[in-house]
Amino acid sequence: MTPHDKFFEYDGQRISYREGEVLLACAQGLTIEQTAKKLFISQHTVKTHREKLRLRFSLQGYTKLVWFATKLQPELEKWIK
């Protein structure tokens, strides 16, 4: 089993490895373009992950997503190496 097969559980919801990478990038203050380059994915994919996470955790706007990501940052950093 690779790290990409694992899920991070938070508040009864699953976060995929890639979603975790995108969340961590949000916590680190990376832009959509910077995140896409770092993870070798399209900007559209980054936007999609952000929006799905925002909706899944009922977060109102990008600022709340960054707050959420910052809250989870220590745990995400342990999980994503």
Side-chain angles (χ1 to χ4, degrees), residues 35-71:
T35 302
K37 285 181 181 178
K38 179 180 179 178
L39 301 178
F40 303 101
I41 58 178
S42 74
Q43 291 181 33
H44 177 76
T45 300
V46 174
K47 289 177 190 176
T48 299
H49 282 308
R50 284 181 172 191
E51 184 63 12
K52 285 185 177 182
L53 287 161
R54 193 183 67 72
L55 293 172
R56 186 178 313 147
F57 293 99
S58 302
L59 303 168
Q60 300 293 322
Y62 178 68
T63 303
K64 290 286 187 179
L65 180 65
V66 171
W67 169 83
F68 178 72
T70 303
K71 180 179 167 184

mmCIF file of all heavy atoms in Angstrom, residues 35-71:
data_model
loop_
_atom_site.group_PDB
_atom_site.id
_atom_site.type_symbol
_atom_site.label_atom_id
_atom_site.label_comp_id
_atom_site.label_asym_id
_atom_site.label_seq_id
_atom_site.Cartn_x
_atom_site.Cartn_y
_atom_site.Cartn_z
ATOM 1 N N THR A 35 0.692 25.792 -6.437
ATOM 2 C CA THR A 35 0.283 24.444 -6.024
ATOM 3 C C THR A 35 0.284 23.497 -7.212
ATOM 4 O O THR A 35 0.783 22.373 -7.121
ATOM 5 C CB THR A 35 -1.118 24.484 -5.374
ATOM 6 O OG1 THR A 35 -1.091 25.371 -4.259
ATOM 7 C CG2 THR A 35 -1.559 23.110 -4.918
ATOM 8 N N ALA A 36 -0.258 23.958 -8.331
ATOM 9 C CA ALA A 36 -0.302 23.121 -9.537
ATOM 10 C C ALA A 36 1.105 22.728 -9.980
ATOM 11 O O ALA A 36 1.363 21.560 -10.302
ATOM 12 C CB ALA A 36 -1.030 23.862 -10.657
ATOM 13 N N LYS A 37 2.019 23.671 -9.979
ATOM 14 C CA LYS A 37 3.400 23.377 -10.385
ATOM 15 C C LYS A 37 4.069 22.425 -9.413
ATOM 16 O O LYS A 37 4.757 21.488 -9.818
ATOM 17 C CB LYS A 37 4.201 24.670 -10.487
ATOM 18 C CG LYS A 37 3.879 25.476 -11.716
ATOM 19 C CD LYS A 37 4.716 26.741 -11.802
ATOM 20 C CE LYS A 37 4.345 27.537 -13.048
ATOM 21 N NZ LYS A 37 5.115 28.791 -13.141
ATOM 22 N N LYS A 38 3.876 22.651 -8.126
ATOM 23 C CA LYS A 38 4.496 21.805 -7.103
ATOM 24 C C LYS A 38 4.009 20.363 -7.186
ATOM 25 O O LYS A 38 4.784 19.423 -7.024
ATOM 26 C CB LYS A 38 4.200 22.381 -5.718
ATOM 27 C CG LYS A 38 4.782 21.570 -4.589
ATOM 28 C CD LYS A 38 4.466 22.182 -3.243
ATOM 29 C CE LYS A 38 5.052 21.333 -2.131
ATOM 30 N NZ LYS A 38 4.805 21.909 -0.816
ATOM 31 N N LEU A 39 2.704 20.191 -7.442
ATOM 32 C CA LEU A 39 2.109 18.855 -7.438
ATOM 33 C C LEU A 39 2.010 18.223 -8.830
ATOM 34 O O LEU A 39 1.526 17.105 -8.967
ATOM 35 C CB LEU A 39 0.716 18.906 -6.796
ATOM 36 C CG LEU A 39 0.667 19.412 -5.352
ATOM 37 C CD1 LEU A 39 -0.774 19.454 -4.857
ATOM 38 C CD2 LEU A 39 1.522 18.549 -4.441
ATOM 39 N N PHE A 40 2.442 18.979 -9.851
ATOM 40 C CA PHE A 40 2.407 18.491 -11.231
ATOM 41 C C PHE A 40 0.987 18.131 -11.672
ATOM 42 O O PHE A 40 0.731 17.070 -12.253
ATOM 43 C CB PHE A 40 3.345 17.294 -11.435
ATOM 44 C CG PHE A 40 4.763 17.583 -11.070
ATOM 45 C CD1 PHE A 40 5.293 17.159 -9.860
ATOM 46 C CD2 PHE A 40 5.585 18.307 -11.927
ATOM 47 C CE1 PHE A 40 6.604 17.436 -9.513
ATOM 48 C CE2 PHE A 40 6.893 18.596 -11.593
ATOM 49 C CZ PHE A 40 7.407 18.163 -10.386
ATOM 50 N N ILE A 41 0.053 19.020 -11.338
ATOM 51 C CA ILE A 41 -1.331 18.865 -11.765
ATOM 52 C C ILE A 41 -1.802 20.193 -12.360
ATOM 53 O O ILE A 41 -1.119 21.208 -12.232
ATOM 54 C CB ILE A 41 -2.262 18.433 -10.595
ATOM 55 C CG1 ILE A 41 -2.220 19.451 -9.438
ATOM 56 C CG2 ILE A 41 -1.903 17.043 -10.106
ATOM 57 C CD1 ILE A 41 -3.136 19.118 -8.273
ATOM 58 N N SER A 42 -2.951 20.183 -12.997
ATOM 59 C CA SER A 42 -3.452 21.418 -13.612
ATOM 60 C C SER A 42 -4.026 22.361 -12.563
ATOM 61 O O SER A 42 -4.424 21.942 -11.469
ATOM 62 C CB SER A 42 -4.518 21.102 -14.660
ATOM 63 O OG SER A 42 -5.727 20.729 -14.030
ATOM 64 N N GLN A 43 -4.093 23.626 -12.918
ATOM 65 C CA GLN A 43 -4.704 24.620 -12.043
ATOM 66 C C GLN A 43 -6.184 24.304 -11.830
ATOM 67 O O GLN A 43 -6.716 24.496 -10.733
ATOM 68 C CB GLN A 43 -4.534 26.016 -12.632
ATOM 69 C CG GLN A 43 -3.092 26.487 -12.602
ATOM 70 C CD GLN A 43 -2.928 27.877 -13.171
ATOM 71 O OE1 GLN A 43 -3.809 28.717 -13.053
ATOM 72 N NE2 GLN A 43 -1.778 28.121 -13.802
ATOM 73 N N HIS A 44 -6.824 23.809 -12.876
ATOM 74 C CA HIS A 44 -8.229 23.425 -12.767
ATOM 75 C C HIS A 44 -8.407 22.332 -11.710
ATOM 76 O O HIS A 44 -9.360 22.365 -10.920
ATOM 77 C CB HIS A 44 -8.758 22.945 -14.127
ATOM 78 C CG HIS A 44 -10.170 22.466 -14.074
ATOM 79 N ND1 HIS A 44 -11.248 23.334 -13.991
ATOM 80 C CD2 HIS A 44 -10.689 21.215 -14.059
ATOM 81 C CE1 HIS A 44 -12.355 22.616 -13.932
ATOM 82 N NE2 HIS A 44 -12.044 21.330 -13.977
ATOM 83 N N THR A 45 -7.499 21.370 -11.666
ATOM 84 C CA THR A 45 -7.577 20.290 -10.679
ATOM 85 C C THR A 45 -7.410 20.838 -9.265
ATOM 86 O O THR A 45 -8.129 20.430 -8.348
ATOM 87 C CB THR A 45 -6.522 19.211 -10.974
ATOM 88 O OG1 THR A 45 -6.760 18.685 -12.288
ATOM 89 C CG2 THR A 45 -6.571 18.074 -9.967
ATOM 90 N N VAL A 46 -6.493 21.771 -9.092
ATOM 91 C CA VAL A 46 -6.307 22.397 -7.777
ATOM 92 C C VAL A 46 -7.595 23.096 -7.356
ATOM 93 O O VAL A 46 -8.066 22.924 -6.222
ATOM 94 C CB VAL A 46 -5.124 23.397 -7.790
ATOM 95 C CG1 VAL A 46 -5.043 24.156 -6.466
ATOM 96 C CG2 VAL A 46 -3.812 22.693 -8.084
ATOM 97 N N LYS A 47 -8.191 23.864 -8.269
ATOM 98 C CA LYS A 47 -9.437 24.570 -7.968
ATOM 99 C C LYS A 47 -10.543 23.586 -7.594
ATOM 100 O O LYS A 47 -11.318 23.831 -6.662
ATOM 101 C CB LYS A 47 -9.887 25.401 -9.169
ATOM 102 C CG LYS A 47 -9.030 26.610 -9.443
ATOM 103 C CD LYS A 47 -9.517 27.325 -10.694
ATOM 104 C CE LYS A 47 -8.560 28.386 -11.156
ATOM 105 N NZ LYS A 47 -8.983 29.008 -12.422
ATOM 106 N N THR A 48 -10.616 22.482 -8.315
ATOM 107 C CA THR A 48 -11.642 21.470 -8.053
ATOM 108 C C THR A 48 -11.464 20.860 -6.667
ATOM 109 O O THR A 48 -12.427 20.720 -5.910
ATOM 110 C CB THR A 48 -11.610 20.371 -9.135
ATOM 111 O OG1 THR A 48 -11.883 20.974 -10.409
ATOM 112 C CG2 THR A 48 -12.631 19.271 -8.852
ATOM 113 N N HIS A 49 -10.229 20.498 -6.310
ATOM 114 C CA HIS A 49 -9.965 19.933 -4.977
ATOM 115 C C HIS A 49 -10.336 20.934 -3.890
ATOM 116 O O HIS A 49 -10.979 20.580 -2.899
ATOM 117 C CB HIS A 49 -8.500 19.531 -4.826
ATOM 118 C CG HIS A 49 -8.148 18.243 -5.492
ATOM 119 N ND1 HIS A 49 -8.829 17.063 -5.292
ATOM 120 C CD2 HIS A 49 -7.150 17.946 -6.360
ATOM 121 C CE1 HIS A 49 -8.280 16.107 -6.007
ATOM 122 N NE2 HIS A 49 -7.255 16.617 -6.669
ATOM 123 N N ARG A 50 -9.938 22.183 -4.078
ATOM 124 C CA ARG A 50 -10.254 23.211 -3.079
ATOM 125 C C ARG A 50 -11.762 23.352 -2.895
ATOM 126 O O ARG A 50 -12.255 23.417 -1.770
ATOM 127 C CB ARG A 50 -9.687 24.569 -3.513
ATOM 128 C CG ARG A 50 -8.207 24.717 -3.326
ATOM 129 C CD ARG A 50 -7.805 26.104 -3.771
ATOM 130 N NE ARG A 50 -6.439 26.426 -3.469
ATOM 131 C CZ ARG A 50 -5.927 27.651 -3.566
ATOM 132 N NH1 ARG A 50 -6.698 28.654 -3.984
ATOM 133 N NH2 ARG A 50 -4.667 27.888 -3.273
ATOM 134 N N GLU A 51 -12.482 23.405 -3.996
ATOM 135 C CA GLU A 51 -13.930 23.594 -3.925
ATOM 136 C C GLU A 51 -14.618 22.382 -3.284
ATOM 137 O O GLU A 51 -15.518 22.543 -2.461
ATOM 138 C CB GLU A 51 -14.502 23.856 -5.321
ATOM 139 C CG GLU A 51 -15.975 24.159 -5.346
ATOM 140 C CD GLU A 51 -16.389 25.426 -4.603
ATOM 141 O OE1 GLU A 51 -15.513 26.233 -4.222
ATOM 142 O OE2 GLU A 51 -17.598 25.609 -4.386
ATOM 143 N N LYS A 52 -14.198 21.179 -3.637
ATOM 144 C CA LYS A 52 -14.800 19.983 -3.049
ATOM 145 C C LYS A 52 -14.550 19.925 -1.543
ATOM 146 O O LYS A 52 -15.441 19.567 -0.771
ATOM 147 C CB LYS A 52 -14.265 18.728 -3.727
ATOM 148 C CG LYS A 52 -14.855 18.500 -5.095
ATOM 149 C CD LYS A 52 -14.386 17.195 -5.685
ATOM 150 C CE LYS A 52 -15.057 16.952 -7.026
ATOM 151 N NZ LYS A 52 -14.661 15.664 -7.598
ATOM 152 N N LEU A 53 -13.340 20.284 -1.125
ATOM 153 C CA LEU A 53 -13.024 20.301 0.303
ATOM 154 C C LEU A 53 -13.847 21.359 1.024
ATOM 155 O O LEU A 53 -14.372 21.125 2.109
ATOM 156 C CB LEU A 53 -11.530 20.552 0.518
ATOM 157 C CG LEU A 53 -10.625 19.374 0.185
ATOM 158 C CD1 LEU A 53 -9.194 19.836 -0.012
ATOM 159 C CD2 LEU A 53 -10.710 18.321 1.280
ATOM 160 N N ARG A 54 -13.956 22.524 0.411
ATOM 161 C CA ARG A 54 -14.721 23.619 1.005
ATOM 162 C C ARG A 54 -16.181 23.201 1.221
ATOM 163 O O ARG A 54 -16.746 23.412 2.295
ATOM 164 C CB ARG A 54 -14.641 24.854 0.108
ATOM 165 C CG ARG A 54 -15.120 26.124 0.776
ATOM 166 C CD ARG A 54 -15.092 27.289 -0.172
ATOM 167 N NE ARG A 54 -16.061 27.155 -1.263
ATOM 168 C CZ ARG A 54 -17.380 27.274 -1.118
ATOM 169 N NH1 ARG A 54 -17.894 27.519 0.057
ATOM 170 N NH2 ARG A 54 -18.175 27.145 -2.155
ATOM 171 N N LEU A 55 -16.759 22.564 0.219
ATOM 172 C CA LEU A 55 -18.144 22.118 0.324
ATOM 173 C C LEU A 55 -18.301 20.954 1.309
ATOM 174 O O LEU A 55 -19.252 20.912 2.092
ATOM 175 C CB LEU A 55 -18.679 21.723 -1.055
ATOM 176 C CG LEU A 55 -18.827 22.868 -2.061
ATOM 177 C CD1 LEU A 55 -19.176 22.323 -3.437
ATOM 178 C CD2 LEU A 55 -19.859 23.875 -1.584
ATOM 179 N N ARG A 56 -17.381 20.013 1.274
ATOM 180 C CA ARG A 56 -17.467 18.840 2.156
ATOM 181 C C ARG A 56 -17.458 19.237 3.631
ATOM 182 O O ARG A 56 -18.142 18.633 4.448
ATOM 183 C CB ARG A 56 -16.293 17.889 1.883
ATOM 184 C CG ARG A 56 -16.394 16.588 2.661
ATOM 185 C CD ARG A 56 -15.261 15.620 2.362
ATOM 186 N NE ARG A 56 -15.057 15.512 0.933
ATOM 187 C CZ ARG A 56 -13.858 15.314 0.369
ATOM 188 N NH1 ARG A 56 -12.773 15.191 1.105
ATOM 189 N NH2 ARG A 56 -13.742 15.228 -0.937
ATOM 190 N N PHE A 57 -16.666 20.257 3.963
ATOM 191 C CA PHE A 57 -16.557 20.681 5.355
ATOM 192 C C PHE A 57 -17.352 21.948 5.662
ATOM 193 O O PHE A 57 -17.150 22.568 6.694
ATOM 194 C CB PHE A 57 -15.078 20.832 5.731
ATOM 195 C CG PHE A 57 -14.355 19.511 5.749
ATOM 196 C CD1 PHE A 57 -13.584 19.113 4.672
ATOM 197 C CD2 PHE A 57 -14.501 18.639 6.812
ATOM 198 C CE1 PHE A 57 -12.939 17.893 4.668
ATOM 199 C CE2 PHE A 57 -13.865 17.410 6.824
ATOM 200 C CZ PHE A 57 -13.078 17.029 5.742
ATOM 201 N N SER A 58 -18.259 22.315 4.751
ATOM 202 C CA SER A 58 -19.166 23.461 4.927
ATOM 203 C C SER A 58 -18.421 24.740 5.302
ATOM 204 O O SER A 58 -18.767 25.424 6.267
ATOM 205 C CB SER A 58 -20.225 23.150 5.988
ATOM 206 O OG SER A 58 -20.961 22.017 5.628
ATOM 207 N N LEU A 59 -17.392 25.050 4.527
ATOM 208 C CA LEU A 59 -16.577 26.243 4.770
ATOM 209 C C LEU A 59 -17.017 27.356 3.835
ATOM 210 O O LEU A 59 -17.120 27.146 2.627
ATOM 211 C CB LEU A 59 -15.092 25.919 4.562
ATOM 212 C CG LEU A 59 -14.560 24.774 5.429
ATOM 213 C CD1 LEU A 59 -13.186 24.331 4.948
ATOM 214 C CD2 LEU A 59 -14.525 25.171 6.887
ATOM 215 N N GLN A 60 -17.282 28.512 4.387
ATOM 216 C CA GLN A 60 -17.763 29.654 3.611
ATOM 217 C C GLN A 60 -16.584 30.446 3.045
ATOM 218 O O GLN A 60 -16.020 31.274 3.738
ATOM 219 C CB GLN A 60 -18.615 30.563 4.493
ATOM 220 C CG GLN A 60 -19.836 29.882 5.084
ATOM 221 C CD GLN A 60 -20.850 29.502 4.021
ATOM 222 O OE1 GLN A 60 -21.064 30.221 3.064
ATOM 223 N NE2 GLN A 60 -21.477 28.344 4.201
ATOM 224 N N GLY A 61 -16.197 30.156 1.832
ATOM 225 C CA GLY A 61 -15.152 30.924 1.161
ATOM 226 C C GLY A 61 -13.749 30.380 1.364
ATOM 227 O O GLY A 61 -13.485 29.520 2.202
ATOM 228 N N TYR A 62 -12.847 30.946 0.585
ATOM 229 C CA TYR A 62 -11.462 30.486 0.580
ATOM 230 C C TYR A 62 -10.764 30.790 1.902
ATOM 231 O O TYR A 62 -9.941 29.994 2.366
ATOM 232 C CB TYR A 62 -10.696 31.119 -0.594
ATOM 233 C CG TYR A 62 -9.250 30.715 -0.619
ATOM 234 C CD1 TYR A 62 -8.878 29.405 -0.903
ATOM 235 C CD2 TYR A 62 -8.248 31.626 -0.328
ATOM 236 C CE1 TYR A 62 -7.552 29.016 -0.901
ATOM 237 C CE2 TYR A 62 -6.917 31.261 -0.323
ATOM 238 C CZ TYR A 62 -6.579 29.950 -0.606
ATOM 239 O OH TYR A 62 -5.266 29.570 -0.586
ATOM 240 N N THR A 63 -11.082 31.906 2.535
ATOM 241 C CA THR A 63 -10.441 32.261 3.802
ATOM 242 C C THR A 63 -10.691 31.190 4.859
ATOM 243 O O THR A 63 -9.779 30.817 5.600
ATOM 244 C CB THR A 63 -10.944 33.630 4.304
ATOM 245 O OG1 THR A 63 -10.701 34.602 3.287
ATOM 246 C CG2 THR A 63 -10.257 34.046 5.576
ATOM 247 N N LYS A 64 -11.897 30.681 4.912
ATOM 248 C CA LYS A 64 -12.225 29.605 5.859
ATOM 249 C C LYS A 64 -11.488 28.312 5.503
ATOM 250 O O LYS A 64 -11.088 27.563 6.389
ATOM 251 C CB LYS A 64 -13.729 29.349 5.906
ATOM 252 C CG LYS A 64 -14.511 30.441 6.551
ATOM 253 C CD LYS A 64 -14.320 30.437 8.046
ATOM 254 C CE LYS A 64 -15.260 31.443 8.666
ATOM 255 N NZ LYS A 64 -15.162 31.480 10.116
ATOM 256 N N LEU A 65 -11.299 28.067 4.209
ATOM 257 C CA LEU A 65 -10.536 26.889 3.791
ATOM 258 C C LEU A 65 -9.089 27.004 4.273
ATOM 259 O O LEU A 65 -8.520 26.034 4.775
ATOM 260 C CB LEU A 65 -10.578 26.719 2.263
ATOM 261 C CG LEU A 65 -9.811 25.523 1.710
ATOM 262 C CD1 LEU A 65 -10.420 24.202 2.185
ATOM 263 C CD2 LEU A 65 -9.777 25.566 0.193
ATOM 264 N N VAL A 66 -8.499 28.186 4.145
ATOM 265 C CA VAL A 66 -7.125 28.401 4.622
ATOM 266 C C VAL A 66 -7.063 28.223 6.139
ATOM 267 O O VAL A 66 -6.145 27.585 6.663
ATOM 268 C CB VAL A 66 -6.596 29.790 4.201
ATOM 269 C CG1 VAL A 66 -5.267 30.091 4.868
ATOM 270 C CG2 VAL A 66 -6.480 29.874 2.690
ATOM 271 N N TRP A 67 -8.048 28.768 6.846
ATOM 272 C CA TRP A 67 -8.109 28.589 8.295
ATOM 273 C C TRP A 67 -8.165 27.102 8.646
ATOM 274 O O TRP A 67 -7.438 26.625 9.533
ATOM 275 C CB TRP A 67 -9.345 29.313 8.848
ATOM 276 C CG TRP A 67 -9.632 28.974 10.282
ATOM 277 C CD1 TRP A 67 -9.069 29.528 11.386
ATOM 278 C CD2 TRP A 67 -10.539 27.968 10.747
ATOM 279 N NE1 TRP A 67 -9.576 28.935 12.518
ATOM 280 C CE2 TRP A 67 -10.488 27.970 12.153
ATOM 281 C CE3 TRP A 67 -11.394 27.069 10.118
ATOM 282 C CZ2 TRP A 67 -11.248 27.117 12.934
ATOM 283 C CZ3 TRP A 67 -12.149 26.218 10.889
ATOM 284 C CH2 TRP A 67 -12.070 26.251 12.282
ATOM 285 N N PHE A 68 -9.021 26.356 7.958
ATOM 286 C CA PHE A 68 -9.168 24.914 8.177
ATOM 287 C C PHE A 68 -7.854 24.186 7.889
ATOM 288 O O PHE A 68 -7.404 23.349 8.673
ATOM 289 C CB PHE A 68 -10.289 24.393 7.269
ATOM 290 C CG PHE A 68 -10.541 22.920 7.344
ATOM 291 C CD1 PHE A 68 -11.139 22.363 8.460
ATOM 292 C CD2 PHE A 68 -10.211 22.093 6.283
ATOM 293 C CE1 PHE A 68 -11.404 20.994 8.528
ATOM 294 C CE2 PHE A 68 -10.469 20.735 6.336
ATOM 295 C CZ PHE A 68 -11.061 20.189 7.466
ATOM 296 N N ALA A 69 -7.220 24.542 6.778
ATOM 297 C CA ALA A 69 -5.959 23.908 6.396
ATOM 298 C C ALA A 69 -4.875 24.191 7.430
ATOM 299 O O ALA A 69 -4.087 23.299 7.783
ATOM 300 C CB ALA A 69 -5.524 24.400 5.015
ATOM 301 N N THR A 70 -4.832 25.409 7.929
ATOM 302 C CA THR A 70 -3.839 25.786 8.939
ATOM 303 C C THR A 70 -4.063 25.008 10.228
ATOM 304 O O THR A 70 -3.112 24.576 10.879
ATOM 305 C CB THR A 70 -3.904 27.306 9.209
ATOM 306 O OG1 THR A 70 -3.706 27.995 7.970
ATOM 307 C CG2 THR A 70 -2.847 27.743 10.192
ATOM 308 N N LYS A 71 -5.318 24.808 10.571
ATOM 309 C CA LYS A 71 -5.675 24.030 11.760
ATOM 310 C C LYS A 71 -5.171 22.582 11.638
ATOM 311 O O LYS A 71 -4.699 21.997 12.610
ATOM 312 C CB LYS A 71 -7.193 24.062 11.926
ATOM 313 C CG LYS A 71 -7.737 23.316 13.099
ATOM 314 C CD LYS A 71 -9.245 23.458 13.141
ATOM 315 C CE LYS A 71 -9.865 22.485 14.110
ATOM 316 N NZ LYS A 71 -11.329 22.548 14.102
#
